[in-house]
Amino acid sequence: VQDSLGQTVQTLNQKVVVQNAPAVASTDPDVWRLLNQATFGASQAEAARVVSLGIAGWINDQIAKPISGYPDSKYNRIQLTTTADCTTTMPNGTAYPSDSPQAVCARDHLTLAMLQRDFFINALYGQDQLRQRVAWALSQIVVTSANEPDLSFAHVMSRYQNIMFQEAFGNYETLLRKVTYNPAMGNYLDMVNNDKPNPVSGRQANENYARELMQLFSIGLYRLNNDGSRMLDGQGNPIPTYSQATIANMARALTGWTYAPLPGATHGNSNPENFTANLVPTANPARHDTDPKTLLDGVVTPAGQTAPNDLVWVLDNIFLHPNVPPFIATRLIRSLVTSNPSPAYINRVSNAFINNGAGVRGDMAAVFTAILTDPEALSPPSSLHGRLKDPVLHVIGLGR
């Protein structure tokens, strides 16, 4: 080979020998496809487990694994400001050394450093690989963000992300319910301290959570067939799933919630931030709009309901909407398996969402089993199959 100066450079093709390399567990491509879809990176050890248990057995074994997650006992500094023992600044105004107990506490608990570190450690070494990969996928659908300053504390985000771990193989309705009650989501999308409209002052109910609950978390913008394709009207146009009026009615139904009172504090109507307990109805029930509301598909709530009653109506109305199975199925398939699933693949996973075989709707264990054991996951039909890896998956996969 000649270099840019015309000089001859000799190259040698050398065989790289990895010391103590594990034996190749399997040459079955289905095993490796499964692991690349269902874990944070295939490994010879995990491939050997798939060979031993079989694909269905490995999935069932993963579903039964203990949760890694972020235990409350570790994320135990329940504070949103610095204290004398948890700060980067000495009393004299100079900075503590970075390895001092005070600075380490501030780094680990008053930022997301510990959570981010544990995310990578769990993904690299944790045994509950499928649950972690599923939680990662769900967290990109039911989204919060640490760009919101109030959410950039370890104990706040850890408790929110734990919902994804807890309900990875639970029920999607339970996931939506827990997310709706969670104070991090209440803060992020403004359901907390959202009072009923006041025609005198001109105040309107905040619509952020009502809108995103439908648009991003459950049904999307347009009516779908069970295979994920859009329904069309007589003129060939997509049919909206809801209108601005629906959003406004949903927002009114979600009024009257605040943070749980801090320990020892009196319960009020706009309690201070508390990210360790679910949202609660305001002390004055009149902060909730008790008029009837028209929800999806013309469902009308009864007059005079409490905030918790109306919330049940809203979540049931959304969860039972026919868009939820194909909408969620499409996003989860794209996150784990392929960016371009066929309508037939989406339809099969949607059917698993509708009925897990025992008459249960929204069983996520059944949904993810259907996603990972589908013929299009194990034996893809064309070169169009596959997805671009997230940078996170590249980095962790290399480590594994």
Side-chain angles (χ1 to χ4, degrees):
V1 180
Q2 288 191 332
D3 67 13
S4 59
L5 298 178
Q7 298 170 320
T8 300
V9 179
Q10 184 178 16
T11 61
L12 298 175
N13 291 323
Q14 295 179 323
K15 182 178 180 180
V16 177
V17 178
V18 179
Q19 298 297 325
N20 301 318
V24 174
S26 173
T27 58
D28 183 350
D30 286 354
V31 171
W32 298 102
R33 287 194 191 98
L34 171 71
L35 293 179
N36 282 319
Q37 294 160 3
T39 74
F40 271 99
S43 68
Q44 296 290 351
E46 206 63 59
R49 289 184 59 78
V50 178
V51 171
S52 173
L53 298 172
I55 287 175
W58 181 85
I59 292 172
N60 290 333
D61 182 66
Q62 281 288 305
I63 290 173
K65 292 284 187 189
I67 299 174
S68 54
Y70 312 107
D72 290 353
S73 58
K74 181 175 183 179
Y75 292 81
N76 57 1
R77 292 299 296 242
I78 310 304
Q79 60 189 79
L80 300 173
T81 59
T82 59
T83 53
D85 63 342
C86 198
T87 179
T88 59
T89 306
M90 294 183 183
N92 63 9
T94 59
Y96 275 112
S98 61
D99 60 350
S100 68
Q102 296 87 345
V104 168
C105 176
R107 178 199 68 198
D108 285 352
H109 293 281
L110 304 185
T111 74
L112 295 182
M114 181 165 66
L115 186 81
Q116 293 163 337
R117 185 170 67 246
D118 284 354
F119 169 83
F120 280 97
I121 290 172
N122 290 344
L124 278 165
Y125 302 111
Q127 297 303 302
D128 60 335
Q129 282 289 306
L130 178 58
R131 185 183 296 272
Q132 290 190 62
R133 184 69 186 274
V134 166
W136 175 247
L138 291 171
S139 72
Q140 295 175 75
I141 297 173
V142 190
V143 177
T144 57
S145 173
N147 287 333
E148 179 75 19
D150 291 340
L151 307 190
S152 60
F153 297 86
H155 84 274
V156 177
M157 190 58 75
S158 67
R159 283 159 173 76
Y160 181 78
Q161 293 300 327
N162 276 339
I163 297 173
M164 309 302 142
F165 283 87
Q166 294 159 4
E167 298 307 323
F169 307 122
N171 193 283
Y172 199 71
E173 182 180 27
T174 306
L175 173 66
L176 289 180
R177 197 174 304 280
K178 286 186 174 182
V179 163
T180 301
Y181 279 111
N182 184 268
M185 179 60 78
N187 177 290
Y188 184 56
L189 290 179
D190 304 313
M191 183 174 140
V192 69
N193 298 328
N194 177 27
D195 290 340
K196 72 178 183 180
N198 185 331
V200 176
S201 66
R203 181 181 65 223
Q204 298 295 316
N206 191 293
E207 298 175 355
N208 280 358
Y209 188 62
R211 180 180 291 105
E212 307 306 350
L213 176 60
M214 293 187 287
Q215 180 177 338
L216 299 182
F217 303 168
S218 59
I219 62 175
L221 294 174
Y222 299 105
R223 287 190 173 272
L224 302 174
N225 296 302
N226 204 53
D227 64 3
S229 60
R230 289 180 179 177
M231 293 184 181
L232 305 177
D233 63 19
Q235 289 71 47
N237 299 313
I239 304 169
T241 48
Y242 55 86
S243 65
Q244 175 56 35
T246 312
I247 296 172
N249 277 267
M250 287 280 191
R252 290 171 46 226
L254 297 173
T255 55
W257 295 87
T258 188
Y259 296 106
L262 295 168
T266 301
H267 181 32
N269 295 319
S270 297
N271 293 331
E273 291 176 327
N274 179 1
F275 292 101
T276 64
N278 285 338
L279 301 181
V280 295
T282 54
N284 180 3
R287 305 292 279 266
H288 172 67
D289 189 326
T290 58
D291 291 338
K293 300 98 180 169
T294 303
L295 308 179
L296 294 167
D297 295 337
V299 172
V300 179
T301 66
Q305 293 205 123
T306 63
N309 290 150
D310 269 352
L311 182 55
V312 169
W313 275 69
V314 165
L315 294 179
D316 285 351
N317 179 242
I318 289 173
F319 177 66
L320 295 174
H321 192 279
N323 261 37
V324 177
F327 183 84
I328 297 302
T330 301
R331 275 141 191 81
L332 293 176
I333 292 170
R334 286 175 176 167
S335 185
L336 271 68
V337 178
T338 178
S339 300
N340 191 34
S342 72
Y345 187 5
I346 295 170
N347 186 64
R348 290 189 289 268
V349 176
S350 295
N351 285 336
F353 188 105
I354 293 167
N355 186 340
N356 68 349
V360 176
R361 181 182 180 88
D363 177 357
M364 299 309 289
V367 168
F368 285 108
T369 299
I371 289 173
L372 295 170
T373 59
D374 193 88
E376 287 192 38
L378 295 176
S379 302
S382 75
S383 60
L384 294 176
H385 180 88
R387 61 184 296 275
L388 289 175
K389 276 189 176 181
D390 303 346
V392 164
L393 294 178
H394 270 298
V395 172
I396 299 175
L398 178 62
R400 284 177 59 78

